[in-house]
Amino acid sequence: YLHALIRETHRLTPVGAIGLTKTVDVDHLEVHGHKMEKGDVVSLESYSQGMNSDLVENPEEFRPERWLRDAVEARKGSPSEIIDHPFLASPFSQGARKCPGSRVATNEIKVLLSQLVLDWKISSPITELENVRYQQHGTLEVKLPGLQFETRL
């Protein structure tokens, strides 16, 4: 479930709103009914895909369950399966250009979150996603609300 929670966080707050751009290098490529020709430039960018209600049910809701195995299997063969594409699944990219530290960073995130949840009760005055604010610099930054940490007994 922790992995699903991290995926859902990346869907709602991707590292950057900038997409991966590629040039089509084959003639007559068709992906989910979209036709492309050799030389067309395409961009795969995660935020708009993750917030598209045609692809994600109730995209404004924080629901980590959408990344559990059964939900991913249920999307196979449908247009919604695009959100499970490896390039959208990880903020570290894929293939030869994948961040070499991605495995270490992912494990650090899991250890840090696990320990925080074990040691602290964390609450926020913001309860609705629409009230979370962002700012764009080099990356997409969440303007975090004041969080309250209480030790667990």
Side-chain angles (χ1 to χ4, degrees), residues 38-65:
K38 189 173 186 171
D40 286 352
V41 177
V42 295
S43 179
L44 182 63
E45 139 324 280
S46 62
Y47 184 74
S48 63
Q49 299 297 322
M51 295 304 287
N52 184 339
S53 60
D54 292 336
L55 303 175
V56 179
E57 183 180 342
N58 300 317
E60 66 286 345
E61 293 179 11
F62 184 80
R63 291 186 23 218
E65 296 79 15

Side-chain angles (χ1 to χ4, degrees), residues 120-153:
W120 302 93
K121 176 184 175 192
I122 305 167
S123 58
S124 168
I126 294 179
T127 58
E128 299 293 325
L129 184 62
E130 65 196 30
N131 295 327
V132 175
R133 298 292 168 238
Y134 300 89
Q135 55 190 9
Q136 179 83 37
H137 293 292
T139 59
L140 187 63
E141 299 173 19
V142 178
K143 294 184 78 175
L144 291 173
L147 299 175
Q148 289 84 38
F149 288 80
E150 299 174 35
T151 56
R152 294 188 184 269
L153 302 175

Side-chain angles (χ1 to χ4, degrees), residues 22-29 36-42:
K22 295 287 181 183
T23 303
V24 176
D25 61 357
V26 296
D27 290 325
H28 314 296
L29 177 66
M36 295 168 265
E37 299 297 326
K38 189 173 186 171
D40 286 352
V41 177
V42 295

